[in-house]
């Protein structure tokens, strides 16, 4: 997370403490001027009775076994900056997903591909609790609209549509009535799990970078979609 994007509020589309081990990792930058007092919400439920108090340079990792719901909101109630991620163990795999800063939530997200043929893939969509109305959401795979009627997601609600047998891209998740969303793709392949955040439409660009390519020890390919 770039230092200039650190903020006081982060969102995740889902929390799974039922089929995998999941915990939320929250850190406070050393540059904070005071302790951060932090609350966590899953759906519309506040999960902590008292705030987590995180000193500058400190960290907490709360876990909520048995909870299977979303979206997730991590918020510093006194305005001190934090960084938040979800860390998950499923089978023999481990994955970590950074929270989406609350000031970057938007209405339109993109993924380069959907694979419901060789793996289990679903799109996880959450609506922030501070939305002013239900979000009406459409999903496109390539040029095909996948839903006959909009998904209606209330503030603090979530939907996880799946399209078995579909092997195509790109993927677009769009709120048609201007209510903000968070969207990601969650995938299970064998005993491994991974999660990919959607790219906000207002952040799409013409050039992308990766730190590495490994075609020796693993099968690697680059997936490119054109909106």
């Amino acid at each position: 997370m770039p230092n200039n994007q650190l903020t006081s509020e982060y969102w995740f589309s889902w929390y799974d403490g039922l089929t995998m081990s999941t915990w939320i990792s929250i850190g406070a930058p050393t540059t904070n001027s005071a302790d951060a007092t932090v609350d966590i919400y899953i759906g519309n439920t506040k999960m902590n009775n008292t705030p987590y108090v995180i000193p500058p340079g400190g960290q907490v990792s709360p876990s909520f076994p048995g909870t299977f719901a979303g979206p997730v909101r991590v918020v510093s109630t006194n305005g001190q900056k934090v960084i938040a991620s979800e860390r998950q163990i499923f089978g023999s795999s481990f994955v970590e997903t950074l929270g989406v800063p609350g000031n970057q939530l938007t209405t339109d997200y993109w993924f380069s591909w959907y694979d419901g043929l060789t793996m289990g893939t679903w799109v996880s969509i959450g609506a922030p609790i501070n939305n002013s109305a239900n979000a009406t959401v459409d999903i496109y795979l390539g040029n095909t609209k996948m839903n006959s009627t909009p998904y209606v997601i209330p503030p603090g609600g979530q939907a996880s549509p799946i399209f078995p047998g579909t092997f195509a891209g790109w993927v677009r998740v769009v709120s048609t009535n201007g209510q903000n969303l968070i969207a990601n793709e969650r995938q299970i392949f064998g005993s491994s799990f991974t999660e990919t955040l959607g790219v906000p439409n207002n952040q799409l660009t013409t050039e992308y970078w990766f730190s590495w390519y490994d075609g020796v020890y693993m099968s690697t390919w680059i997936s490119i979609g054109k909106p």
Side-chain angles (χ1 to χ4, degrees):
M1 177 69 66
N3 181 68
N4 60 8
Q5 293 185 28
L6 289 176
T7 186
S8 60
E9 183 182 24
Y10 295 86
W11 289 83
F12 306 88
S13 69
W14 193 251
Y15 184 95
D16 184 351
L18 191 61
T19 68
M20 58 184 74
S21 297
T22 302
W23 60 103
I24 298 173
S25 181
I26 310 165
T30 56
T31 51
N32 276 359
S33 60
D35 295 347
T37 55
V38 177
D39 288 336
I40 296 175
Y41 294 82
I42 299 181
N44 289 307
T45 302
K46 185 180 176 185
M47 304 302 292
N48 51 298
N49 293 323
T50 59
Y52 301 99
V53 179
I54 311 175
Q59 195 267 354
V60 297
S61 294
S63 181
F64 309 103
T67 301
F68 189 77
V72 181
R73 181 192 186 205
V74 177
V75 57
S76 169
T77 60
N78 65 340
Q80 295 295 310
K81 291 180 179 180
V82 292
I83 182 171
S85 66
E86 266 192 359
R87 297 163 67 87
Q88 297 157 317
I89 294 174
F90 177 81
S92 59
S93 67
F94 166 79
V95 68
E96 184 170 22
T97 306
L98 284 171
V100 176
N103 55 14
Q104 294 183 26
L105 292 176
T106 186
T107 61
D108 197 353
Y109 294 87
W110 294 80
F111 306 87
S112 67
W113 196 254
Y114 184 95
D115 183 352
L117 188 62
T118 68
M119 60 183 72
T121 301
W122 60 103
V123 180
S124 183
I125 311 163
I129 58 177
N130 51 7
N131 274 1
S132 60
N134 295 339
T136 55
V137 179
D138 289 336
I139 297 177
Y140 294 83
L141 269 61
N143 291 312
T144 303
K145 184 179 175 184
M146 302 303 293
N147 51 296
S148 55
T149 59
Y151 300 98
V152 179
I153 309 177
Q158 200 269 353
S160 294
I162 187 169
F163 310 105
T166 303
F167 190 77
W170 37 259
V171 182
R172 183 189 185 199
V173 179
V174 57
S175 169
T176 59
N177 66 336
Q179 296 296 309
N180 281 339
L181 306 170
I182 178 171
N184 59 17
E185 275 192 353
R186 298 165 67 89
Q187 296 154 321
I188 292 175
F189 180 77
S191 61
S192 68
F193 166 79
T194 189
E195 184 171 30
T196 305
L197 287 170
V199 176
N201 182 71
N202 57 14
Q203 293 182 27
L204 291 176
T205 186
T206 59
E207 185 176 7
Y208 296 84
W209 288 81
F210 305 88
S211 64
W212 195 254
Y213 184 95
D214 184 352
V216 175
Y217 298 105
M218 60 180 71
S219 297
T220 303
W221 58 99
I222 298 172
S223 183
I224 308 165
K226 183 181 185 301

